[in-house]
Coordinates of all heavy atoms in Angstrom, one line a residue:
M1 N 34.6 2.1 -16.8 CA 35.6 2.8 -16.1 C 37.0 2.4 -16.7 O 37.3 1.2 -16.8 CB 35.6 2.4 -14.6 CG 36.2 3.4 -13.7 SD 36.2 2.8 -12.0 CE 34.5 3.1 -11.5
D2 N 37.7 3.4 -17.1 CA 39.0 3.2 -17.7 C 40.1 3.3 -16.6 O 40.4 4.4 -16.1 CB 39.2 4.2 -18.8 CG 40.5 4.0 -19.6 OD1 41.1 2.9 -19.5 OD2 40.9 4.9 -20.3
L3 N 40.7 2.2 -16.3 CA 41.7 2.2 -15.2 C 43.1 2.7 -15.7 O 44.0 3.0 -14.9 CB 41.9 0.8 -14.6 CG 40.7 0.3 -13.9 CD1 40.9 -1.2 -13.5 CD2 40.3 1.1 -12.8
S4 N 43.3 2.9 -17.0 CA 44.5 3.4 -17.5 C 44.7 4.9 -17.3 O 45.8 5.4 -17.2 CB 44.6 3.2 -19.1 OG 43.6 3.9 -19.7
N5 N 43.6 5.6 -17.0 CA 43.7 7.0 -16.7 C 43.5 7.2 -15.2 O 42.3 7.2 -14.7 CB 42.7 7.8 -17.5 CG 42.8 9.3 -17.3 OD1 43.6 9.8 -16.5 ND2 42.1 10.1 -18.1
P6 N 44.5 7.4 -14.4 CA 44.3 7.5 -12.9 C 43.5 8.7 -12.4 O 43.0 8.6 -11.3 CB 45.8 7.5 -12.4 CG 46.7 7.8 -13.5 CD 45.9 7.5 -14.8
E7 N 43.5 9.8 -13.2 CA 42.7 10.9 -12.7 C 41.2 10.7 -12.9 O 40.4 11.3 -12.2 CB 43.2 12.2 -13.5 CG 44.6 12.6 -13.3 CD 45.0 13.8 -14.1 OE1 44.1 14.3 -14.9 OE2 46.2 14.1 -14.0
E8 N 40.8 9.9 -13.8 CA 39.4 9.6 -14.1 C 38.7 8.7 -13.1 O 37.6 8.8 -12.8 CB 39.3 9.1 -15.5 CG 37.8 9.0 -16.0 CD 37.8 8.5 -17.5 OE1 38.5 9.1 -18.3 OE2 37.0 7.6 -17.7
T9 N 39.5 7.8 -12.5 CA 39.0 6.7 -11.6 C 38.3 7.3 -10.4 O 37.2 7.0 -10.0 CB 40.1 5.7 -11.3 OG1 40.6 5.2 -12.5 CG2 39.5 4.6 -10.4
P10 N 39.0 8.2 -9.6 CA 38.3 8.8 -8.4 C 37.1 9.6 -8.8 O 36.1 9.6 -8.0 CB 39.4 9.7 -7.8 CG 40.7 9.3 -8.4 CD 40.4 8.7 -9.7
M11 N 37.1 10.3 -9.9 CA 35.9 11.1 -10.3 C 34.7 10.2 -10.6 O 33.6 10.5 -10.2 CB 36.2 12.0 -11.5 CG 35.1 12.9 -11.8 SD 34.7 13.9 -10.4 CE 35.3 15.5 -11.0
K12 N 34.9 9.1 -11.3 CA 33.8 8.2 -11.6 C 33.3 7.5 -10.3 O 32.2 7.3 -10.2 CB 34.3 7.1 -12.7 CG 34.3 7.7 -14.1 CD 34.5 6.6 -15.0 CE 34.4 7.2 -16.4 NZ 34.5 6.2 -17.5
A13 N 34.3 7.1 -9.5 CA 33.9 6.5 -8.2 C 33.0 7.5 -7.4 O 32.0 7.1 -6.8 CB 35.1 6.1 -7.4
F14 N 33.5 8.8 -7.4 CA 32.7 9.8 -6.6 C 31.3 10.0 -7.2 O 30.3 10.1 -6.5 CB 33.5 11.1 -6.6 CG 32.7 12.2 -6.0 CD1 32.6 12.2 -4.6 CD2 32.1 13.2 -6.7 CE1 31.9 13.3 -4.0 CE2 31.4 14.2 -6.1 CZ 31.2 14.2 -4.7
S15 N 31.2 10.0 -8.5 CA 29.9 10.2 -9.2 C 29.0 9.0 -8.9 O 27.8 9.1 -8.7 CB 30.1 10.5 -10.7 OG 30.6 9.4 -11.3
L16 N 29.6 7.8 -8.9 CA 28.8 6.6 -8.6 C 28.3 6.6 -7.2 O 27.1 6.3 -6.9 CB 29.6 5.3 -8.9 CG 29.8 5.0 -10.4 CD1 30.7 3.8 -10.5 CD2 28.5 4.7 -11.0
L17 N 29.2 7.0 -6.3 CA 28.8 7.1 -4.9 C 27.7 8.2 -4.6 O 26.8 7.9 -3.9 CB 30.1 7.4 -4.0 CG 29.8 7.6 -2.5 CD1 29.3 6.3 -1.9 CD2 31.1 8.1 -1.8
A18 N 27.8 9.3 -5.3 CA 26.8 10.3 -5.2 C 25.5 9.9 -5.7 O 24.4 10.1 -5.1 CB 27.3 11.6 -5.9
A19 N 25.5 9.2 -6.8 CA 24.2 8.6 -7.4 C 23.6 7.6 -6.4 O 22.4 7.6 -6.2 CB 24.5 8.0 -8.7
A20 N 24.4 6.8 -5.8 CA 23.9 5.8 -4.9 C 23.3 6.5 -3.6 O 22.2 6.1 -3.2 CB 25.0 4.8 -4.5
L21 N 24.0 7.5 -3.1 CA 23.5 8.2 -2.0 C 22.2 9.0 -2.3 O 21.2 9.0 -1.5 CB 24.5 9.2 -1.4 CG 25.7 8.5 -0.7 CD1 26.7 9.6 -0.4 CD2 25.3 7.8 0.5
L22 N 22.1 9.5 -3.5 CA 20.9 10.2 -3.9 C 19.7 9.2 -4.0 O 18.6 9.5 -3.6 CB 21.1 10.9 -5.3 CG 19.9 11.7 -5.8 CD1 19.6 12.8 -4.9 CD2 20.2 12.2 -7.2
A23 N 20.0 8.1 -4.6 CA 18.9 7.1 -4.7 C 18.5 6.6 -3.3 O 17.3 6.4 -3.1 CB 19.4 5.9 -5.6
A24 N 19.4 6.4 -2.4 CA 19.1 6.0 -1.1 C 18.3 7.0 -0.3 O 17.4 6.7 0.4 CB 20.3 5.6 -0.3
G25 N 18.6 8.3 -0.5 CA 17.9 9.4 0.1 C 16.5 9.5 -0.4 O 15.5 9.7 0.4
C26 N 16.3 9.3 -1.7 CA 14.9 9.3 -2.2 C 14.1 8.1 -1.7 O 12.9 8.2 -1.5 CB 14.9 9.3 -3.8 SG 15.6 10.8 -4.5
A27 N 14.7 7.0 -1.6 CA 14.0 5.8 -1.1 C 13.6 5.9 0.3 O 12.6 5.2 0.7 CB 14.8 4.6 -1.4
S28 N 14.3 6.7 1.1 CA 14.0 6.7 2.5 C 12.9 7.8 2.9 O 12.5 7.9 4.0 CB 15.3 7.0 3.3 OG 15.7 8.3 3.1
Q29 N 12.5 8.6 1.9 CA 11.5 9.6 2.2 C 10.1 9.0 2.4 O 9.8 8.0 1.8 CB 11.4 10.6 1.1 CG 12.6 11.5 1.0 CD 12.5 12.5 -0.1 OE1 11.6 12.5 -0.9 NE2 13.5 13.3 -0.3
D30 N 9.4 9.5 3.4 CA 8.0 9.0 3.7 C 7.1 9.5 2.7 O 6.9 10.7 2.5 CB 7.6 9.5 5.1 CG 6.3 8.9 5.5 OD1 6.0 7.8 5.0 OD2 5.7 9.5 6.4
V31 N 6.4 8.6 2.0 CA 5.5 8.9 0.9 C 4.1 8.8 1.5 O 3.7 7.7 2.0 CB 5.7 8.1 -0.3 CG1 4.6 8.4 -1.4 CG2 7.1 8.2 -0.9
Q32 N 3.3 9.8 1.4 CA 1.9 9.7 1.9 C 1.0 9.6 0.7 O 1.0 10.3 -0.2 CB 1.6 11.0 2.7 CG 2.4 11.1 4.0 CD 2.0 12.4 4.7 OE1 1.2 13.2 4.3 NE2 2.6 12.5 5.9
V33 N 0.1 8.6 0.9 CA -0.9 8.3 -0.2 C -2.2 8.8 0.3 O -2.6 8.5 1.4 CB -0.9 6.8 -0.5 CG1 -2.0 6.5 -1.5 CG2 0.4 6.3 -0.9
A34 N -2.9 9.5 -0.5 CA -4.3 10.0 -0.2 C -5.2 8.8 -0.1 O -5.3 8.0 -1.0 CB -4.8 11.0 -1.2
Q35 N -6.0 8.7 1.0 CA -6.9 7.6 1.1 C -8.3 8.2 1.4 O -8.4 9.2 2.1 CB -6.5 6.7 2.3 CG -5.2 6.0 2.0 CD -4.9 5.1 3.2 OE1 -5.4 5.2 4.3 NE2 -3.9 4.2 3.0
A36 N -9.3 7.5 0.9 CA -10.7 8.0 1.1 C -11.0 7.6 2.6 O -10.5 6.7 3.1 CB -11.6 7.2 0.2
P37 N -11.8 8.5 3.2 CA -12.2 8.2 4.6 C -12.9 6.9 4.7 O -13.8 6.6 3.8 CB -13.0 9.4 5.0 CG -13.5 10.0 3.8 CD -12.4 9.7 2.7
V38 N -12.7 6.1 5.7 CA -13.3 4.8 5.9 C -14.7 5.0 6.5 O -14.7 5.7 7.6 CB -12.4 3.9 6.8 CG1 -13.1 2.6 7.0 CG2 -11.1 3.7 6.1
T39 N -15.7 4.5 5.9 CA -17.0 4.6 6.5 C -17.6 3.2 6.7 O -17.4 2.3 5.9 CB -18.0 5.4 5.6 OG1 -18.0 4.8 4.4 CG2 -17.5 6.9 5.5
C40 N -18.3 3.0 7.7 CA -19.0 1.8 8.0 C -20.3 1.7 7.3 O -21.1 2.6 7.4 CB -19.2 1.6 9.5 SG -19.9 0.0 9.9
K41 N -20.5 0.7 6.5 CA -21.7 0.6 5.7 C -22.7 -0.4 6.3 O -23.7 -0.8 5.6 CB -21.4 0.1 4.3 CG -20.5 1.2 3.6 CD -20.5 1.1 2.1 CE -19.5 2.1 1.7 NZ -19.7 2.9 0.7
V42 N -22.4 -0.9 7.5 CA -23.4 -1.8 8.2 C -24.3 -1.0 9.0 O -23.9 -0.1 9.8 CB -22.6 -2.8 9.0 CG1 -23.6 -3.7 9.8 CG2 -21.6 -3.6 8.2
A43 N -25.6 -1.1 8.8 CA -26.6 -0.4 9.5 C -27.8 -1.3 9.8 O -28.1 -2.2 9.1 CB -27.0 0.8 8.7
P44 N -28.5 -1.0 10.9 CA -29.7 -1.8 11.2 C -30.8 -1.6 10.1 O -31.0 -0.5 9.6 CB -30.2 -1.2 12.6 CG -29.4 0.0 12.8 CD -28.3 0.1 11.9
I45 N -31.5 -2.6 9.8 CA -32.5 -2.6 8.8 C -33.9 -2.5 9.5 O -34.1 -3.3 10.4 CB -32.5 -3.9 7.9 CG1 -31.2 -4.0 7.2 CG2 -33.6 -3.9 7.0 CD1 -31.0 -2.9 6.1
T46 N -34.7 -1.6 9.1 CA -36.0 -1.5 9.6 C -37.0 -1.4 8.4 O -36.5 -1.2 7.3 CB -36.2 -0.2 10.5 OG1 -36.0 0.9 9.7 CG2 -35.2 -0.2 11.7
T47 N -38.2 -1.5 8.7 CA -39.2 -1.4 7.5 C -39.1 0.0 7.0 O -39.3 0.2 5.8 CB -40.6 -1.8 8.0 OG1 -41.0 -1.0 9.1 CG2 -40.7 -3.2 8.3
A48 N -38.9 1.0 7.8 CA -38.9 2.4 7.3 C -37.6 2.6 6.4 O -37.7 3.2 5.4 CB -38.9 3.4 8.5
S49 N -36.5 2.0 6.9 CA -35.3 2.2 6.1 C -35.3 1.4 4.8 O -34.7 1.8 3.8 CB -34.0 1.8 6.9 OG -34.0 0.4 7.1
A50 N -36.0 0.3 4.8 CA -36.1 -0.5 3.5 C -37.1 0.1 2.5 O -36.9 0.0 1.3 CB -36.5 -1.9 3.9
T51 N -38.2 0.8 3.0 CA -39.2 1.3 2.1 C -38.9 2.7 1.7 O -39.2 3.1 0.6 CB -40.6 1.2 2.7 OG1 -40.6 1.8 3.9 CG2 -40.9 -0.3 2.9
D52 N -38.4 3.6 2.6 CA -38.3 5.0 2.3 C -36.8 5.3 2.2 O -36.1 5.6 3.2 CB -38.9 5.8 3.5 CG -38.9 7.3 3.1 OD1 -38.6 7.7 2.0 OD2 -39.1 8.1 4.1
T53 N -36.2 5.1 1.0 CA -34.8 5.3 0.8 C -34.4 6.8 0.7 O -33.2 7.1 0.8 CB -34.3 4.6 -0.5 OG1 -35.1 5.1 -1.6 CG2 -34.6 3.1 -0.4
S54 N -35.3 7.7 0.6 CA -35.0 9.1 0.5 C -34.6 9.7 1.8 O -33.9 10.7 1.9 CB -36.1 9.9 -0.2 OG -37.3 9.8 0.6
A55 N -35.2 9.2 2.9 CA -34.9 9.8 4.2 C -33.9 8.9 5.0 O -34.3 7.8 5.5 CB -36.2 9.8 5.0
K56 N -32.7 9.3 5.0 CA -31.7 8.6 5.8 C -31.6 9.2 7.1 O -31.2 10.4 7.3 CB -30.3 8.8 5.1 CG -30.2 8.1 3.7 CD -29.8 6.7 3.8 CE -29.6 6.1 2.5 NZ -29.2 4.8 2.5
K57 N -31.9 8.5 8.1 CA -31.9 9.0 9.5 C -30.6 8.5 10.1 O -30.1 7.4 9.9 CB -33.1 8.4 10.3 CG -34.4 8.9 9.8 CD -35.5 8.3 10.6 CE -36.9 8.7 10.0 NZ -38.0 8.0 10.6
P58 N -30.0 9.4 11.0 CA -28.8 9.0 11.6 C -29.0 7.8 12.6 O -30.1 7.7 13.2 CB -28.3 10.2 12.4 CG -29.5 11.1 12.4 CD -30.4 10.7 11.3
V59 N -28.0 7.0 12.7 CA -28.1 5.8 13.6 C -27.2 6.0 14.8 O -26.1 6.4 14.6 CB -27.8 4.5 12.8 CG1 -27.8 3.3 13.6 CG2 -28.7 4.4 11.6
S60 N -27.7 5.6 15.9 CA -26.8 5.7 17.1 C -25.7 4.7 17.0 O -25.8 3.7 16.3 CB -27.6 5.5 18.4 OG -28.0 4.1 18.5
S61 N -24.6 5.0 17.7 CA -23.4 4.1 17.6 C -23.7 2.7 18.3 O -23.2 1.7 17.8 CB -22.2 4.7 18.3 OG -22.5 5.0 19.7
I62 N -24.6 2.7 19.2 CA -25.0 1.4 19.9 C -25.8 0.6 18.9 O -25.5 -0.6 18.7 CB -25.8 1.6 21.1 CG1 -24.9 2.3 22.2 CG2 -26.4 0.3 21.7 CD1 -25.6 2.6 23.5
R63 N -26.7 1.2 18.1 CA -27.5 0.4 17.1 C -26.6 0.0 16.0 O -26.7 -1.1 15.4 CB -28.6 1.3 16.6 CG -29.7 1.7 17.6 CD -30.7 0.6 17.8 NE -31.5 0.5 16.5 CZ -32.0 -0.6 16.1 NH1 -31.8 -1.7 16.7 NH2 -32.7 -0.6 14.9
Q64 N -25.6 0.8 15.6 CA -24.6 0.5 14.6 C -23.8 -0.8 15.0 O -23.7 -1.7 14.2 CB -23.7 1.7 14.4 CG -22.6 1.4 13.4 CD -22.9 1.8 12.0 OE1 -23.8 2.7 11.8 NE2 -22.3 1.2 11.0
R65 N -23.3 -0.8 16.2 CA -22.5 -1.9 16.7 C -23.4 -3.2 16.8 O -22.9 -4.3 16.6 CB -21.9 -1.6 18.1 CG -20.8 -0.5 18.0 CD -19.7 -0.8 17.2 NE -18.8 -1.8 17.9 CZ -17.8 -2.4 17.3 NH1 -17.4 -2.1 16.1 NH2 -17.0 -3.2 18.0
E66 N -24.6 -3.0 17.2 CA -25.6 -4.1 17.3 C -25.8 -4.7 15.9 O -25.8 -6.0 15.7 CB -26.9 -3.7 17.9 CG -27.9 -4.8 18.0 CD -29.2 -4.3 18.6 OE1 -29.6 -3.1 18.3 OE2 -29.9 -5.1 19.2
A67 N -25.9 -3.9 14.9 CA -26.0 -4.4 13.5 C -24.8 -5.1 13.1 O -24.9 -6.2 12.4 CB -26.4 -3.2 12.6
E68 N -23.6 -4.6 13.4 CA -22.4 -5.3 13.1 C -22.3 -6.7 13.8 O -21.9 -7.7 13.2 CB -21.2 -4.5 13.5 CG -21.0 -3.2 12.8 CD -19.9 -2.4 13.4 OE1 -18.9 -2.9 13.8 OE2 -20.1 -1.2 13.5
M69 N -22.7 -6.7 15.0 CA -22.7 -8.0 15.8 C -23.7 -9.0 15.1 O -23.4 -10.2 15.0 CB -23.1 -7.8 17.2 CG -23.1 -9.0 18.1 SD -23.8 -8.7 19.7 CE -25.5 -8.5 19.3
D70 N -24.9 -8.5 14.8 CA -25.9 -9.4 14.1 C -25.3 -9.9 12.8 O -25.5 -11.1 12.5 CB -27.2 -8.6 13.9 CG -27.9 -8.3 15.2 OD1 -27.6 -9.0 16.2 OD2 -28.8 -7.4 15.1
L71 N -24.7 -9.1 12.0 CA -24.1 -9.5 10.8 C -23.0 -10.5 11.0 O -22.9 -11.5 10.2 CB -23.6 -8.3 9.9 CG -22.9 -8.6 8.6 CD1 -23.9 -9.3 7.7 CD2 -22.4 -7.4 8.0
S72 N -22.2 -10.3 12.0 CA -21.0 -11.2 12.2 C -21.5 -12.6 12.7 O -20.7 -13.5 12.6 CB -20.0 -10.6 13.2 OG -20.6 -10.5 14.4
A73 N -22.7 -12.7 13.2 CA -23.1 -14.0 13.7 C -24.1 -14.7 12.8 O -24.7 -15.7 13.1 CB -23.8 -13.8 15.1
T74 N -24.2 -14.2 11.5 CA -25.2 -14.9 10.6 C -24.6 -16.1 10.0 O -23.4 -16.3 9.8 CB -25.6 -13.9 9.5 OG1 -24.5 -13.5 8.8 CG2 -26.3 -12.7 10.1
Q75 N -25.5 -17.0 9.5 CA -25.2 -18.2 8.8 C -24.6 -17.8 7.4 O -23.7 -18.4 6.9 CB -26.4 -19.1 8.6 CG -26.0 -20.4 7.9 CD -27.3 -21.3 7.8 OE1 -28.3 -20.9 8.2 NE2 -27.0 -22.4 7.2
Y76 N -25.1 -16.7 6.8 CA -24.7 -16.2 5.5 C -23.2 -15.9 5.6 O -22.4 -16.2 4.7 CB -25.5 -15.0 5.1 CG -25.0 -14.4 3.8 CD1 -25.3 -15.0 2.6 CD2 -24.3 -13.2 3.8 CE1 -24.8 -14.5 1.4 CE2 -23.8 -12.6 2.6 CZ -24.1 -13.3 1.4 OH -23.7 -12.8 0.2
R77 N -22.7 -15.2 6.7 CA -21.3 -14.9 6.8 C -20.5 -16.1 6.9 O -19.4 -16.2 6.3 CB -21.1 -14.0 8.1 CG -19.6 -13.7 8.3 CD -19.3 -13.0 9.6 NE -17.9 -12.7 9.7 CZ -17.3 -12.7 10.8 NH1 -17.9 -12.9 12.0 NH2 -16.0 -12.4 10.9
M78 N -20.9 -17.1 7.6 CA -20.2 -18.4 7.8 C -20.1 -19.1 6.4 O -19.0 -19.6 6.0 CB -20.8 -19.3 8.8 CG -20.7 -18.7 10.2 SD -19.1 -18.3 10.7 CE -19.4 -17.0 11.8
Q79 N -21.1 -19.0 5.6 CA -21.1 -19.7 4.3 C -20.1 -18.9 3.4 O -19.4 -19.6 2.7 CB -22.5 -19.6 3.7 CG -23.5 -20.6 4.3 CD -24.9 -20.4 3.8 OE1 -25.2 -19.4 3.1 NE2 -25.8 -21.3 4.1
Q80 N -20.1 -17.6 3.5 CA -19.2 -16.8 2.7 C -17.7 -17.0 3.1 O -16.8 -17.1 2.3 CB -19.5 -15.3 2.7 CG -20.8 -14.9 2.1 CD -20.8 -15.2 0.6 OE1 -19.9 -14.9 -0.1 NE2 -21.9 -15.9 0.2
L81 N -17.5 -17.2 4.4 CA -16.2 -17.5 4.9 C -15.7 -18.8 4.4 O -14.5 -19.0 4.0 CB -16.1 -17.4 6.4 CG -15.9 -16.1 7.0 CD1 -16.1 -16.2 8.5 CD2 -14.6 -15.5 6.7
N82 N -16.6 -19.8 4.4 CA -16.2 -21.2 3.9 C -16.0 -21.1 2.4 O -15.1 -21.8 1.9 CB -17.3 -22.2 4.3 CG -17.3 -22.5 5.7 OD1 -16.3 -22.4 6.4 ND2 -18.5 -22.9 6.2
R83 N -16.7 -20.4 1.7 CA -16.6 -20.4 0.2 C -15.5 -19.5 -0.3 O -14.7 -19.9 -1.1 CB -17.9 -19.9 -0.4 CG -17.9 -19.9 -1.9 CD -19.3 -19.5 -2.5 NE -20.4 -20.2 -1.9 CZ -21.5 -19.7 -1.5 NH1 -21.7 -18.4 -1.6 NH2 -22.5 -20.4 -1.0
N84 N -15.4 -18.2 0.3 CA -14.4 -17.3 -0.2 C -13.2 -17.0 0.7 O -12.2 -16.4 0.2 CB -15.1 -15.9 -0.5 CG -16.2 -16.0 -1.5 OD1 -16.2 -16.9 -2.4 ND2 -17.2 -15.2 -1.4
G85 N -13.3 -17.3 1.9 CA -12.2 -17.0 2.8 C -12.3 -15.5 3.3 O -13.4 -14.9 3.2
L86 N -11.2 -15.0 3.8 CA -11.3 -13.6 4.3 C -11.2 -12.5 3.2 O -11.6 -11.4 3.4 CB -10.1 -13.4 5.2 CG -10.2 -14.1 6.6 CD1 -8.9 -13.9 7.4 CD2 -11.4 -13.6 7.4
F87 N -10.7 -12.9 2.0 CA -10.5 -11.9 1.0 C -11.5 -12.1 -0.1 O -12.0 -13.2 -0.4 CB -9.1 -11.9 0.5 CG -8.1 -11.6 1.6 CD1 -7.4 -12.7 2.2 CD2 -8.0 -10.4 2.2 CE1 -6.5 -12.5 3.2 CE2 -7.1 -10.1 3.2 CZ -6.4 -11.2 3.7
N88 N -11.8 -11.1 -0.9 CA -12.9 -11.1 -1.9 C -14.2 -11.5 -1.3 O -14.9 -12.3 -1.9 CB -12.5 -12.0 -3.1 CG -11.3 -11.5 -3.8 OD1 -11.1 -10.3 -3.9 ND2 -10.5 -12.4 -4.3
N89 N -14.5 -11.0 -0.2 CA -15.7 -11.4 0.6 C -16.3 -10.1 1.1 O -15.8 -9.4 1.9 CB -15.3 -12.2 1.8 CG -16.5 -12.8 2.5 OD1 -17.6 -12.3 2.5 ND2 -16.2 -13.9 3.2
N90 N -17.5 -9.7 0.5 CA -18.1 -8.5 0.8 C -18.5 -8.3 2.3 O -18.4 -7.2 2.8 CB -19.4 -8.3 -0.1 CG -19.0 -8.1 -1.5 OD1 -17.9 -7.7 -1.8 ND2 -20.0 -8.4 -2.4
V91 N -18.9 -9.4 2.9 CA -19.3 -9.3 4.3 C -18.1 -8.9 5.2 O -18.1 -8.1 6.0 CB -20.0 -10.6 4.8 CG1 -20.3 -10.6 6.3 CG2 -21.2 -10.9 4.0
E92 N -17.0 -9.6 4.9 CA -15.8 -9.4 5.7 C -15.3 -7.9 5.4 O -14.8 -7.3 6.3 CB -14.7 -10.4 5.4 CG -15.0 -11.8 5.8 CD -15.4 -11.9 7.3 OE1 -14.6 -11.3 8.1 OE2 -16.4 -12.5 7.6
D93 N -15.3 -7.5 4.2 CA -14.9 -6.1 3.8 C -15.8 -5.1 4.6 O -15.2 -4.1 5.1 CB -15.0 -5.9 2.3 CG -14.0 -6.7 1.6 OD1 -13.0 -7.1 2.2 OD2 -14.2 -6.8 0.3
A94 N -17.1 -5.3 4.7 CA -17.9 -4.4 5.4 C -17.6 -4.4 6.9 O -17.5 -3.3 7.5 CB -19.4 -4.8 5.2
L95 N -17.4 -5.5 7.5 CA -17.1 -5.6 8.9 C -15.7 -5.0 9.1 O -15.5 -4.3 10.1 CB -17.1 -7.0 9.4 CG -18.5 -7.6 9.5 CD1 -18.5 -9.1 9.8 CD2 -19.4 -6.9 10.5
R96 N -14.7 -5.2 8.3 CA -13.4 -4.7 8.4 C -13.4 -3.2 8.3 O -12.7 -2.5 9.1 CB -12.5 -5.3 7.3 CG -11.0 -5.0 7.6 CD -10.1 -5.7 6.5 NE -10.4 -7.1 6.4 CZ -10.8 -7.7 5.3 NH1 -11.1 -7.1 4.2 NH2 -11.0 -9.0 5.3
N97 N -14.2 -2.6 7.4 CA -14.3 -1.2 7.3 C -14.9 -0.6 8.6 O -14.5 0.5 8.9 CB -15.2 -0.8 6.1 CG -14.5 -1.0 4.8 OD1 -13.2 -1.1 4.8 ND2 -15.2 -1.0 3.7
C98 N -15.9 -1.2 9.2 CA -16.4 -0.7 10.4 C -15.4 -0.7 11.5 O -15.3 0.2 12.3 CB -17.6 -1.6 10.9 SG -19.0 -1.4 9.8
D99 N -14.5 -1.8 11.6 CA -13.5 -1.8 12.6 C -12.5 -0.6 12.4 O -12.0 0.0 13.3 CB -12.7 -3.1 12.6 CG -13.6 -4.2 13.1 OD1 -14.6 -4.0 13.8 OD2 -13.3 -5.4 12.9
N100 N -12.1 -0.4 11.1 CA -11.2 0.7 10.8 C -11.8 2.1 11.0 O -11.1 3.0 11.3 CB -10.7 0.6 9.3 CG -9.8 -0.6 9.2 OD1 -9.2 -1.1 10.1 ND2 -9.8 -1.1 7.9
A101 N -13.1 2.2 10.8 CA -13.8 3.5 11.0 C -13.8 3.9 12.5 O -13.8 5.1 12.8 CB -15.2 3.5 10.5
L102 N -13.7 3.0 13.4 CA -13.7 3.3 14.8 C -12.4 3.7 15.3 O -12.3 4.3 16.4 CB -14.2 2.0 15.6 CG -15.7 1.6 15.4 CD1 -15.9 0.3 16.1 CD2 -16.6 2.7 15.8
K103 N -11.3 3.4 14.6 CA -10.0 3.8 15.1 C -9.7 5.2 14.9 O -10.2 5.9 14.1 CB -8.9 2.9 14.4 CG -9.0 1.5 14.8 CD -8.0 0.7 14.0 CE -8.2 -0.8 14.4 NZ -7.4 -1.7 13.7

């Protein structure tokens, strides 16, 4: 900014102010990110579901919640929590996805 030219100073100040307002306006816009639908991957295991993988039968919501409860109370989950914590833990991710799918 050249202060020796008094006519140039207000124009540069105005252009800087306009650029700042434009940047602030862009930053305040709500950006929506496309997300994949959350699906619960915890399901009850039966001999039919373990042997016949081609026939996927729908599971009732009560059986689904029961499978989640069974998984959350296992010794395997506790071992994974002690070893990995809440993050980078497949069991916790599966249970978290089930909680989010219900919302």
Side-chain angles (χ1 to χ4, degrees):
M1 202 180 284
D2 184 16
L3 297 178
S4 62
N5 187 353
E7 293 177 5
E8 190 176 310
T9 304
M11 186 55 111
K12 283 191 176 181
F14 176 74
S15 63
L16 287 174
L17 178 64
L21 289 175
L22 181 64
C26 291
S28 67
Q29 291 181 356
D30 186 25
V31 177
Q32 295 181 355
V33 178
Q35 294 179 346
V38 178
T39 57
C40 183
K41 300 200 185 227
V42 178
I45 300 290
T46 62
T47 54
S49 67
T51 57
D52 188 14
T53 58
S54 64
K56 296 268 184 181
K57 296 179 184 173
V59 178
S60 71
S61 62
I62 292 175
R63 296 274 294 144
Q64 176 94 26
R65 294 298 284 173
E66 182 184 27
E68 292 171 42
M69 182 189 67
D70 290 342
L71 177 62
S72 66
T74 61
Q75 183 180 0
Y76 178 74
R77 178 186 182 213
M78 295 306 151
Q79 289 170 349
Q80 292 299 314
L81 276 172
N82 287 334
R83 185 178 306 135
N84 300 332
L86 290 174
F87 303 103
N88 295 327
N89 187 336
N90 291 338
V91 176
E92 294 305 311
D93 291 342
L95 290 172
R96 192 175 306 117
N97 285 342
C98 289
D99 290 341
N100 291 337
L102 293 175
K103 293 178 184 178

